[in-house]
Amino acid sequence: MRVDDREPASEAADDDTLGAGYRPLLFSIAYGMTGSVGDAEDVVQDAFLGMTRARRAGTVINDPKAYLTTSVTRLGINHLRSARVRRETYVGDWLPEPVVVPSDGQGPAEHAELADSLSMAFLVLLESLSPVERAVFMLREVFGYGYPDVARITGKTEVNCRQVFARARQRIGTAEQGRDSAPRPERRAAGEELARRFFEAAAGGDMDSLLGMLAPDVVFHGDGGGKARAVRKPVVDPQHVAQLLVGGLRRVRMMEISLRPAWVNGRPGAVLCDAGGRVASVVELEIADGAVRAIHSVSNPDKLAHLGPVSDVARRKEPRPKGQ
């Protein structure tokens, strides 16, 4: 964690140690609010610094978890209010920054424990809500907070929070989260196996096998942000999606890009890397009832930088001026 030069390092370190066990929860809330790994980490850091300053000013904090949760949520609300204008001018489909955990599970604790409900599809749905609606809905629906706690965290009345949650739930529903009642280990194993067969079929050009794994209402979303090659609009219809995947992976092989299995936002997926090991894109699969219902592909280099060096193989080439 960065330490502000104005804060005694020892006090900041004490607060960091005190709240270390809450970091996975705090990161999940911040990421659910912002849809950005970097912004989520900054929000969590700012919450810890705020607690350090409050303690230095003489504030007695008996419940650090409640204090930090409230701070992270309100900072997330403020961040969303300032981010609205930027997202209205976004080029193409907007998808959240992917949270990637290698298939062996080796990754930051806060990423590995990211709430299952924060899939890309769910975060895209949350974009239709106002910042306060998003906070209320997420705290209640995803993290299971009771209305008294939701009211305390957001600074609203309990009655108002009930009304906000009802409106938000009616607007985006809950079925879209794709929850599965099967135990998590079984879901993980089934998801990994389906993802393995899916990527093998796509890479091998096996259209029949691929079509057998796609749901009738499957949709492909690509996010290049205008900076990398990606579909500008969602692609629907299993035949069209399958053709897109086969063609895309054929080009991937030609560019010597490898595919590494991973868990992306709590869903099976893959990280595509160039010959030098640099990240080119990240793919997440939404699976329901044993079929792939949605595919989310992020190639916007700005959204991959937190994963390491970013490849330039997918970058959109700037058009040359006429006469050159």
Side-chain angles (χ1 to χ4, degrees):
M1 185 186 79
R2 296 196 305 266
V3 178
D4 193 307
D5 291 338
R6 295 168 294 179
E7 309 294 345
S10 60
E11 290 189 19
D14 287 345
D15 282 339
D16 196 33
T17 301
L18 183 65
Y22 309 136
R23 278 190 174 274
L25 170 64
L26 298 174
F27 176 82
S28 291
I29 294 174
Y31 176 72
M33 289 296 295
T34 66
S36 163
V37 173
D39 290 335
E41 290 173 343
D42 286 344
V43 164
V44 172
Q45 173 182 290
D46 288 345
F48 274 97
L49 289 175
M51 186 168 69
T52 297
R53 294 190 181 102
R55 282 159 51 90
R56 286 191 66 207
T59 302
V60 177
I61 300 175
N62 294 320
D63 190 343
K65 180 180 179 182
Y67 183 95
L68 290 167
T69 300
T70 300
S71 180
V72 162
T73 302
R74 295 185 183 183
L75 287 168
I77 290 173
N78 292 337
H79 172 87
L80 275 183
R81 286 170 174 160
S82 65
R84 284 280 161 173
V85 175
R86 296 197 302 272
R87 292 186 185 173
E88 288 174 358
T89 59
Y90 196 80
V91 178
D93 259 2
W94 178 91
L95 293 175
E97 288 184 10
V99 173
V100 176
V101 177
S103 56
D104 60 9
Q106 298 300 311
E110 57 264 37
H111 293 188
E113 297 181 25
L114 186 71
D116 284 344
S117 294
L118 297 181
S119 68
M120 287 194 177
F122 184 57
L123 289 174
V124 170
L125 284 175
L126 292 183
E127 286 289 298
S128 66
L129 303 178
S130 72
V132 172
E133 286 176 333
R134 183 167 180 157
V136 170
F137 185 81
M138 193 175 60
L139 289 169
R140 176 66 180 159
E141 181 71 15
V142 178
F143 297 101
Y145 280 92
Y147 284 111
D149 287 328
V150 174
R152 172 185 56 77
I153 292 171
T154 59
K156 306 296 181 180
T157 66
E158 187 175 336
V159 171
N160 184 232
C161 286
R162 290 179 181 275
Q163 294 171 340
V164 169
F165 178 78
R167 288 198 304 268
R169 192 171 194 175
Q170 183 177 21
R171 186 179 305 174
I172 70 174
T174 58
E176 294 298 328
Q177 295 179 57
R179 291 178 176 174
D180 193 330
S181 59
R184 185 172 182 179
E186 293 180 14
R187 283 189 287 119
R188 184 181 181 92
E192 287 180 341
E193 174 59 19
L194 180 58
R196 182 190 64 77
R197 292 190 290 109
F198 176 84
F199 287 119
E200 282 185 358
D206 188 344
M207 290 289 289
D208 289 339
S209 294
L210 197 57
L211 287 169
M213 289 181 272
L214 297 175
D217 57 349
V218 65
V219 58
F220 181 101
H221 296 274
D223 180 348
K227 299 181 179 182
R229 288 187 291 272
V231 295
R232 290 292 186 93
K233 297 180 180 179
V235 177
V236 297
D237 181 78
Q239 188 73 32
H240 292 160
V241 171
Q243 291 172 346
L244 175 68
L245 290 167
V246 170
L249 285 179
R250 183 181 299 119
R251 290 191 296 272
V252 160
R253 291 197 304 275
M254 293 174 60
M255 292 186 289
E256 298 184 343
I257 292 178
S258 61
L259 186 149
R260 303 174 184 173
W263 280 84
V264 183
N265 288 61
R267 301 294 189 271
V271 178
L272 278 65
C273 298
D274 65 16
R278 299 174 300 174
V279 179
S281 65
V282 172
V283 178
E284 179 219 49
L285 305 181
E286 282 280 341
I287 296 174
D289 300 322
V292 176
R293 186 175 62 177
I295 303 155
H296 300 93
S297 175
V298 179
S299 56
N300 183 345
D302 294 342
K303 295 185 176 183
L304 302 175
H306 65 284
L307 300 174
V310 179
S311 176
D312 59 1
V313 296
R315 288 185 185 272
R316 183 177 296 280
K317 306 297 184 183
E318 295 296 331
R320 290 185 178 183
K322 292 183 178 180
Q324 293 188 15

